[in-house]
Amino acid sequence: SAEVERLLLYRLVGVSSLVGLAVMIAVMPVNAWILLHLRHLQERNMKQKDRRVKTVSEILHSMKMIKMFAWEKPLSKKVAQIRSAEVERLQRYGYVSSLQSIFWNSAPVSVSIATFGAYAALGNRLDMQVVLPALSVINIMSFPLFVFPLLISAVISGRVAMNRLNEYMNLPERDTSAIVETQPEDPFPVRFDDVTISWNSSRPILSNVTLSIPRGSLTAIVGPVGAGKSTLLSAGPGCAPARGGTI
């Protein structure tokens, strides 16, 4: 199809069609650079969005504590700063995306000007018998130029999404090496035997924890903020790694 269109354009305007083809080819590297820049901006936008969603989620889950300590204003200011940075990146992405759209939408006009300009410069006469069929062929040839940016934009978004999914799927699995399955008749189905729990290997959160919870009992874990209550509960299913002992 593309070869037939180029052949028809060559029969209409001769070697002038090569000038238009050269302009069309010259557009490709510039657009490739713009699309590469758009991909980097999209990746940064997603990271900034993740930061905002994480911060807002933490605030919503800790709303009672925030109200008790009157932290509304500083946390609102923090969210506003994160959102402002996100909006700035979105504006930058919009500017570059608009530039890319303008560049590609003007490409068919540039090809037509270059083709007919070269045709006239070679001493040929521009009449309706040449201009109208040539414009039709150029418009047909330019259709991929309209579709290509949309395709590339979809590919960029899909690639960013696939990379994020790949990073998530490649996260390390839960460390269940310290967890031992109990029997149904065990009177103490939940036990911590000299367990040391830490989120990283440098500093343990809880050390030498020994705990036995009888079957059917109601147990409350009480302590000040930062004492390790949530860490203790997270160690049960293996979310918080146990560096020693058995669960």
Side-chain angles (χ1 to χ4, degrees):
S1 168
E3 289 76 9
V4 173
E5 292 163 1
R6 286 195 290 266
L7 180 60
L8 290 175
L9 186 62
Y10 182 82
R11 292 188 62 182
L12 289 170
V13 296
V15 294
S16 303
S17 61
L18 301 179
V19 178
L21 182 61
V23 172
M24 192 177 299
I25 295 175
V27 167
M28 297 294 182
V30 179
N31 190 70
W33 178 84
I34 295 177
L35 293 174
L36 183 63
H37 191 55
L38 281 176
R39 190 190 74 179
H40 293 324
L41 288 176
Q42 180 76 356
E43 292 174 351
R44 294 172 186 172
N45 289 341
M46 297 304 294
K47 290 180 180 178
Q48 194 68 28
K49 185 180 295 184
D50 287 344
R51 183 185 174 193
R52 174 180 58 83
V53 172
K54 180 181 179 181
T55 303
V56 173
S57 298
E58 290 175 352
I59 291 174
L60 292 176
H61 284 99
S62 307
M63 186 58 66
K64 183 177 179 180
M65 186 180 301
I66 293 171
K67 291 290 185 180
M68 291 175 61
F69 288 93
W71 288 342
E72 296 95 333
K73 289 185 178 181
L75 289 177
S76 298
K77 184 178 180 181
K78 180 179 179 181
V79 173
Q81 291 175 349
I82 296 174
R83 180 58 180 165
S84 177
E86 181 184 1
V87 170
E88 182 181 353
R89 292 187 182 276
L90 288 174
Q91 287 178 343
R92 192 178 306 172
Y93 181 85
Y95 293 150
V96 177
S97 181
S98 300
L99 176 63
Q100 187 258 352
S101 298
I102 294 172
F103 188 78
W104 272 103
N105 290 332
S106 62
V109 179
S110 302
V111 171
S112 301
I113 293 174
T115 301
F116 293 131
Y119 185 76
L122 293 176
N124 299 309
R125 180 184 176 185
L126 291 174
D127 52 20
M128 292 298 180
Q129 296 178 352
V130 174
V131 174
L132 293 180
L135 281 176
S136 300
V137 175
I138 290 175
N139 289 332
I140 295 173
M141 292 177 62
S142 301
F143 178 75
L145 297 180
F146 290 105
V147 177
F148 189 69
L150 302 177
L151 176 63
I152 293 300
S153 178
V155 170
I156 290 174
S157 299
R159 182 173 180 179
V160 172
M162 288 300 297
N163 289 337
R164 289 164 60 83
L165 285 174
N166 190 37
E167 291 177 2
Y168 174 76
M169 299 300 292
N170 287 330
L171 289 174
E173 299 291 339
R174 292 185 302 167
D175 185 8
T176 59
S177 58
I179 299 177
V180 179
E181 184 178 357
T182 58
Q183 299 299 321
E185 63 275 5
D186 196 327
F188 297 96
V190 179
R191 292 198 305 271
F192 288 74
D193 298 327
D194 196 24
V195 177
T196 299
I197 307 170
S198 64
W199 293 103
N200 53 61
S201 58
S202 61
R203 185 176 66 88
I205 305 299
L206 298 171
S207 300
N208 307 115
V209 177
T210 299
L211 172 67
S212 297
I213 300 178
R215 182 180 300 277
S217 63
L218 178 62
T219 303
I221 301 175
V222 183
V225 176
K229 302 183 295 298
S230 300
T231 301
L232 179 64
L233 295 176
S234 299
C239 297
R243 305 296 176 180
T246 57
I247 302 175

